[in-house]
Amino acid sequence: MVFRYARNEVCVATLGILHREKLSSKLELKCLEDSERLILCGPSALSLASPFLAVHAFAVGGVGLATIGMMSRVSLGHSGRNIRNPPKLTTFALCAMVLGFVVRVGFPLFAPQQYLLWVALSQALWIAAFSLFLLAYFSVLVRPRIDGQPG
């Protein structure tokens, strides 16, 4: 099961993203963030943490990473490019998304009085992540396939 693999191989998944070895590592890290969301459901059910943290863990981390990860892989694959060699900005986009997840979900646990600051900073990181994706993949998406195949 992917969930267990991602949970047990956190270091491998993180290294894969940072060193751009495997595009699928993004999805493994996304599964790790899904496990964090499930972990946050317990404290929120006991009123020890905001119930919105678990929802935002899924939205910011899970959906954000899955979106950038899949768009990266599909953009490269369907344009005839090597999926094992994504643009360098992809790494920075993913790091911004992960940092946005940590700021949005982790920081309010330890400093809830600064909640609005964490939300605003997380929003800025989310926008930065998708802006970096756009910078990296705009030229890939508007040009014809490099292998000459139709599509």
Side-chain angles (χ1 to χ4, degrees):
M1 184 176 214
V2 175
F3 174 75
R4 278 191 201 175
Y5 174 75
R7 189 177 64 191
N8 294 335
E9 302 293 335
V10 177
C11 295
V12 173
T14 304
L15 288 174
I17 289 171
L18 295 178
H19 296 309
R20 299 178 11 215
E21 291 176 6
K22 302 192 307 185
L23 210 51
S24 64
S25 295
K26 295 171 194 147
L27 299 178
E28 293 165 1
L29 190 59
K30 180 244 178 256
C31 290
L32 173 69
E33 289 185 344
D34 284 348
S35 68
E36 297 298 324
R37 176 182 56 90
L38 293 174
I39 290 169
L40 286 170
C41 286
S44 66
L46 299 172
S47 298
L48 299 174
S50 170
F52 297 111
L53 288 181
V55 172
H56 287 139
F58 174 72
V60 175
V63 172
L65 270 178
T67 302
I68 288 182
M70 287 305 297
M71 287 191 315
S72 299
R73 197 261 177 240
V74 170
S75 297
L76 293 173
H78 287 273
S79 64
R81 289 166 174 80
N82 183 358
I83 64 170
R84 305 252 185 242
N85 189 21
K88 292 179 182 178
L89 283 178
T90 304
T91 302
F92 294 109
L94 288 167
C95 287
M97 187 62 69
V98 170
L99 189 57
F101 168 78
V102 170
V103 168
R104 177 62 190 91
V105 176
F107 286 18
L109 290 172
F110 300 106
Q113 65 278 11
Q114 300 294 328
Y115 180 76
L116 293 179
L117 173 66
W118 305 139
V119 170
L121 187 56
S122 178
Q123 289 171 350
L125 288 164
W126 178 279
I127 292 168
F130 281 99
S131 297
L132 288 168
F133 173 84
L134 180 64
L135 285 173
Y137 287 92
F138 181 77
S139 64
V140 170
L141 295 171
V142 297
R143 292 187 181 148
R145 290 179 59 108
I146 62 170
D147 60 3
Q149 298 284 332

